[in-house]
Amino acid sequence: MTTEPAPGGDPRTGVDLTALGRVVARQRAELDRLRDLVSTSAVVERAKGAVMATTGCTPDAAHEELVQRAKAGNRTLLEECWLTLGALVDVAEPAPAVTRAEAGPGAPVPAPLETPPGTDAVAEVLGRIGRDLVQVGTPQELAGSLLEHLGPQSGADAVMLYRRLPVGGLELIGHAGLDATLAAQWHHVPPLGEVAAIEALTAGEPCWLEDTGADHGQHVLIGDRPEQWLSRAWLPVTAGGRANVVLGVLRRHGGPFTPRERELLRAVARLSAGRLRAFDASPERPAGDVAHAVQGVFDALPGAAVLLTPLRSAAGEVEDYRIDAATADAVDVFGRTGRDMVGRYILESYPSVAGEPLWQGYLDTLITGAPFESEPFAYQDEVAGVPVTATYTVRAARLSEGLLVTWLRQDPVERQEQRLADVQRLGNLGWASWNLLTQEIAWSRETYRVLGRSRARGPVRLEEMADLAQPEDAGALSRALAGLVRHARPFDVPFRIRTPRGVRHLRMVAEAVTEPDGTPAEVHGFVQDLTAQRSAELALVESERAMLLQRGVLQAEQALAAQLQHALLPLPSKPRHLAGLRVEVAYLPAQSGIHVGGDWFSAIQLADDAALFVVGDVAGHGLEAVATMAQLRFTAKGMASTGSSLTGALARLNQLLLQSRDGQITATMVLARYDPVARVLAWAQAGHPPPLLVRDGEPRYLDRPVGMLLGASAAPQYEPAELVLRPGDRLLLYTDGLMERRGEGLDAGLARLAEAVRPVGGAHASLADLLAAMVGDERRDDVCVLDIRMTV
């Protein structure tokens, strides 16, 4: 033995460093090999997913297809996988980033693609989509699967699949993210111009709608709600060199699609083409047009329903049923959905229904045609040794020679979740929870909508909630959050946020779940959108403010108009005697509303001992009506006092009204002059109710001479008329407020006035009694009356 260390060893430790270096080198080489293997496996799995989606084959068949392609092209399997993935990515766009180690020796390495934080490379996303598309069995399921992937990757909020109809137009074959009503309204799109989806099919190129204002003016927007879908894309799904299906991606947020999003959507459209071809080729439809027609209807219907065709023995007895059509939402106890159920047999798939009331109910419906509806029952079966139990209510109705069966699964958890979702939607609120220990955050779908936040961006940490509020509201919310986190104080705080739809008024309510020592451990709460309620409250306050202001203005106007009216139109306290006639005047203002009208009268003695009588009514109320009344009243008195004829005075008053009021106000008038020597009353009128004469106890209305109301025409005609008064005659000049009554016509009012003025027992009723009989409790207009009596 020797005490000297081995060559290459450490003299202090005696360890062979050379041997240790070889071990480390071997481990590094093995680690590099494993990394290359993992990278290679990831690329192969992505390519398999793409092949499975485009051809509808199984995973093993997809792998064999890739191997055969590699042999035929004298390429390695890895090279063939990258070529397969590259065919899905638009050559005009950058390809997904890949390292030389992933590509392998001699393999083409695509140019790197810049991927935004939080998103995956396009090829990786396509691989996941491709693997999932193999599991879908209908265009409706295809739309749902696409939305599930495109939501976080491109901000998609809804997906639509349209098929071109032979006669033109489009038919909706699948959708996700739309409510049933909107989908039903746009199930068929007529062959109109300027429909972006049709333009994309015709041109064979995607149509990107990224400016809502411009797009709404240039295109017919499917969905008809531009304020909801702020950006859209329509991509033709090309199969065999021709595009008969178009894929629509609708987003609630505006702005352009990024180059990566455009690349991803183009590749997804190509993936969808392969799956749609599989739908057309793979299902083996049963014979008969009924099942084919029913399946077409089922593809557009929500809910769970199947078409059962009875399978009969030689003796005609029903031995089993075959599922020949199924809706996309149909799910059985084993989790099979939609068209995966088509072609299966009832007793083969669900043997425990034999001999049960459900089976007998089916038979009774086939025989009698009466619909069958079961009581809730529990179905029990076993899948791979695991018990499966579900409670159902089933309804069956006969359709041709088969049965149309619908059912409702009585799942308490699902019902509770659906009710919770309905409550949030109807209440315009969403729940949220924050775990202060694990930092886990959970938001409901409605919370994102209320806060105007894309689900792709994820939830917000509790301490960052105040950052969403408007600056003037952030302080109060921040203090409430601090009190909750530090001292477990619950809060209910209103605040405002700004979203693409404008400022929203929200409310946040939260409380803490505490540890035994009182330390907050978790926060539960909800946010509610109160914008509609707040807008209504603000509108109500503004309306009340405006109403009070308007009422004050009107009351001030009424007071001023009333003062002017009393100053301009003084009422005599007792009857007057003019030119041998007894004249009594009555004026009653309107009781309804706060306006002052434009009714007026004049009864004056002229210089030649004649008497002038005028009754007029200006249309409208308020200061303008009072001012017009004063102008007409004094002008008429002046012209009559200077010897103008009655018709000439009316013509000049008409011209005065047209010039001074721009033709915006009209008025009616009766103008009369009484000559006491000849006992003749000369009169003319302008659109006014006729005077009422009571002679020998009989009332009659005077025939009105020609005369149009003042202010209605630039060239009216006015004609005079005369009446010889006799002793005992009574003549009433009045405005229309005297006989107006709610719900009564003009003729009925005139007849009622004539009956009220008729003498009783040979004595004329007083003017006060006449007014009491004619005017009701509510006067909607002013009442003005001149009661003229000849006593000599």
Side-chain angles (χ1 to χ4, degrees):
M1 291 183 63
T2 176
T3 58
E4 295 181 0
D10 189 337
R12 293 170 295 177
T13 62
V15 177
D16 189 346
L17 297 181
T18 303
L20 184 59
R22 288 195 295 269
V23 171
V24 171
R26 286 196 302 269
Q27 290 177 343
R28 286 178 176 172
E30 180 65 16
L31 182 60
D32 291 339
R33 187 186 68 80
L34 292 175
R35 285 175 176 170
D36 291 343
L37 180 61
V38 170
S39 300
T40 302
S41 300
V43 175
V44 172
E45 287 301 314
R46 295 176 192 173
K48 284 171 57 178
V51 174
M52 291 159 63
T54 54
T55 63
C57 65
T58 64
D60 292 338
H63 186 272
E64 184 62 28
E65 173 68 18
L66 290 171
V67 171
Q68 294 301 323
R69 291 181 186 179
K71 289 182 180 179
N74 195 23
R75 292 183 289 268
T76 66
L77 177 60
L78 189 59
E79 290 173 342
E80 185 60 41
C81 290
W82 277 115
L83 290 174
T84 301
L85 291 173
L88 292 175
V89 181
D90 195 332
V91 294
E93 302 285 352
V98 60
T99 65
R100 175 65 63 182
E102 288 179 328
V109 181
L113 172 69
E114 293 185 3
T115 304
T119 58
D120 300 326
V122 172
E124 183 177 349
V125 175
L126 293 178
R128 291 199 300 265
I129 296 177
R131 287 190 291 274
D132 287 351
L133 292 192
V134 178
Q135 307 300 322
V136 303
T138 65
Q140 183 70 14
E141 294 177 14
L142 173 61
S145 179
L146 292 180
L147 180 59
E148 181 180 351
H149 289 280
L150 294 179
Q153 295 296 330
S154 64
D157 294 295
V159 167
M160 304 178 79
L161 287 169
Y162 276 103
R163 175 187 288 121
R164 192 204 307 263
L165 296 173
V167 295
L170 302 174
E171 176 189 19
L172 185 64
I173 61 175
H175 64 86
L178 301 178
D179 58 75
T181 301
L182 190 61
Q185 291 173 345
W186 290 90
H187 183 69
H188 284 95
V189 177
L192 302 174
E194 300 179 350
V195 177
I198 297 179
E199 292 177 0
L201 277 177
T202 304
E205 292 292 335
C207 185
W208 310 97
L209 305 180
E210 300 164 326
D211 185 344
T212 306
D215 296 334
H216 190 56
Q218 299 175 4
H219 296 86
V220 176
L221 299 181
I222 292 176
D224 199 24
R225 296 172 68 180
E227 73 281 357
Q228 179 179 10
W229 312 113
L230 300 182
S231 58
R232 311 158 185 243
W234 294 98
L235 302 101
V237 181
T238 305
R242 176 177 173 79
N244 288 318
V245 175
V246 63
L247 167 65
V249 177
L250 285 66
R251 305 193 301 186
R252 290 191 175 92
H253 66 275
F257 290 84
T258 65
R260 178 188 178 278
E261 290 171 344
R262 292 193 178 198
E263 174 193 0
L264 176 61
L265 294 181
R266 285 191 177 98
V268 167
R270 285 188 284 274
L271 275 179
S272 302
R275 196 57 195 155
L276 289 171
R277 283 200 305 270
F279 295 157
D280 295 336
S282 59
E284 296 181 1
R285 296 190 178 276
D289 294 335
V290 174
H292 182 79
V294 170
Q295 185 61 65
V297 175
F298 277 7
D299 287 342
L301 286 181
V306 295
L307 176 66
L308 301 183
T309 299
L311 304 177
R312 301 180 182 272
S313 64
E317 296 181 353
V318 176
E319 294 182 333
D320 203 346
Y321 296 90
R322 183 181 64 237
I323 302 175
D324 282 347
T327 60
D329 292 342
V331 182
D332 66 6
V333 70
F334 304 111
R336 290 186 289 257
T337 61
R339 294 195 183 185
D340 288 340
M341 303 168 63
V342 175
R344 299 184 180 275
Y345 297 91
I346 294 297
L347 292 183
E348 176 185 303
S349 300
Y350 322 102
S352 60
V353 303
E356 294 294 327
L358 178 64
W359 185 266
Q360 187 59 44
Y362 285 175
L363 294 177
D364 293 343
T365 298
L366 281 176
I367 296 172
T368 65
F372 162 74
E373 187 163 349
S374 74
E375 297 291 333
F377 66 93
Y379 179 84
Q380 297 180 342
D381 212 320
E382 192 173 285
V383 179
V386 178
V388 177
T389 303
T391 303
Y392 293 93
T393 299
V394 177
R395 189 181 188 278
R398 193 167 69 184
L399 179 63
S400 184
E401 299 299 323
L403 291 176
L404 181 62
V405 178
T406 59
W407 67 91
L408 178 65
R409 181 167 180 168
Q410 308 292 331
D411 190 328
V413 175
E414 289 183 0
R415 288 202 306 273
Q416 183 176 359
E417 291 179 351
Q418 182 59 46
R419 289 168 183 167
L420 178 59
D422 291 341
V423 168
Q424 293 182 85
R425 177 176 51 83
L426 296 175
N428 216 7
L429 57 84
W431 62 262
S433 66
W434 292 266
N435 191 309
L436 304 180
L437 302 179
T438 65
Q439 300 303 314
E440 294 180 1
I441 306 175
W443 280 10
S444 68
R445 180 186 294 270
E446 287 296 313
T447 304
Y448 289 96
R449 185 187 63 79
V450 170
L451 292 174
R453 185 177 179 86
S454 170
R455 296 185 66 194
R457 299 177 61 188
V460 174
R461 292 187 300 174
L462 184 61
E463 59 271 20
E464 296 175 349
M465 284 295 295
D467 297 338
L468 301 179
Q470 292 281 82
E472 53 269 31
D473 298 337
L477 183 57
S478 180
R479 288 190 295 272
L481 290 169
L484 177 68
V485 173
R486 296 172 185 170
H487 309 292
R489 286 198 297 264
F491 67 81
D492 184 342
V493 176
F495 63 99
R496 290 165 295 173
I497 65 171
R498 182 171 296 279
T499 70
R501 296 180 295 169
V503 175
R504 314 295 293 175
H505 293 265
L506 306 185
R507 168 197 183 201
M508 182 174 181
V509 179
E511 63 180 7
V513 178
T514 62
E515 298 286 353
D517 61 357
T519 303
E522 191 166 352
V523 172
H524 299 161
F526 67 84
V527 288
Q528 185 176 17
D529 190 343
L530 302 177
T531 303
Q533 175 182 337
R534 183 59 176 159
S535 298
E537 292 173 352
L538 293 175
L540 180 60
V541 170
E542 186 63 28
S543 176
E544 291 177 349
R545 184 184 296 112
M547 184 173 63
L548 291 175
L549 178 62
Q550 182 66 18
R551 180 178 295 275
V553 172
L554 292 178
Q555 287 176 341
E557 181 180 329
Q558 181 203 27
L560 177 59
Q563 292 175 1
L564 287 174
Q565 191 176 50
H566 290 314
L568 297 173
L569 197 66
L571 288 175
S573 59
K574 59 183 180 179
R576 300 176 60 190
H577 293 275
L578 300 173
L581 301 176
R582 179 183 180 276
V583 181
E584 189 174 0
V585 180
Y587 181 86
L588 300 176
Q591 289 181 337
S592 62
I594 62 174
H595 296 294
V596 175
D599 291 16
W600 89 94
F601 67 91
S602 284
I604 61 173
Q605 186 91 30
L606 298 178
D608 56 357
D609 294 331
L612 177 68
F613 302 108
V614 184
V615 172
D617 185 0
V618 176
H621 299 82
L623 287 175
E624 189 170 12
V626 173
T628 303
M629 175 268 289
Q631 185 180 33
L632 293 178
R633 182 171 183 263
F634 291 118
T635 304
K637 290 170 61 177
M639 286 189 293
S641 300
T642 57
S644 297
S645 66
L646 300 180
T647 55
L650 289 177
R652 284 190 286 274
L653 290 173
N654 177 77
Q655 191 66 27
L656 175 66
L657 199 59
L658 287 173
Q659 292 176 352
S660 61
R661 300 297 174 185
D662 298 327
Q664 300 300 315
I665 293 183
T666 59
T668 65
M669 182 185 298
V670 170
L671 193 61
R673 184 199 302 268
Y674 176 66
D675 183 354
V677 176
R679 295 187 175 184
V680 174
L681 181 77
W683 65 288
Q685 66 88 31
H688 202 82
L692 177 58
L693 174 67
V694 182
R695 175 173 289 175
D696 299 331
E698 288 297 324
R700 71 178 179 90
Y701 290 98
L702 301 182
D703 294 333
R704 295 193 307 170
V706 174
M708 181 179 293
L709 77 164
L710 304 176
S713 173
Q717 289 185 344
Y718 298 104
E719 296 181 357
E722 291 185 348
L723 171 68
V724 177
L725 292 180
R726 301 175 185 175
D729 284 353
R730 183 181 188 183
L731 185 67
L732 292 181
L733 304 181
Y734 54 91
T735 58
D736 55 6
L738 179 63
M739 69 274 190
E740 283 184 345
R741 180 172 290 181
R742 189 184 301 275
E744 184 180 70
L746 178 61
D747 291 341
L750 292 173
R752 187 164 49 84
L753 175 60
E755 188 62 29
V757 80
R758 187 185 299 275
V760 178
H764 290 285
S766 67
L767 182 57
D769 293 337
L770 177 63
L771 291 175
M774 289 299 299
V775 180
D777 296 333
E778 179 183 350
R779 295 187 296 277
R780 293 183 298 164
D781 200 358
D782 295 351
V783 176
C784 183
V785 181
L786 280 182
D787 186 0
I788 304 171
R789 303 190 192 192
M790 187 171 186
T791 58
V792 179

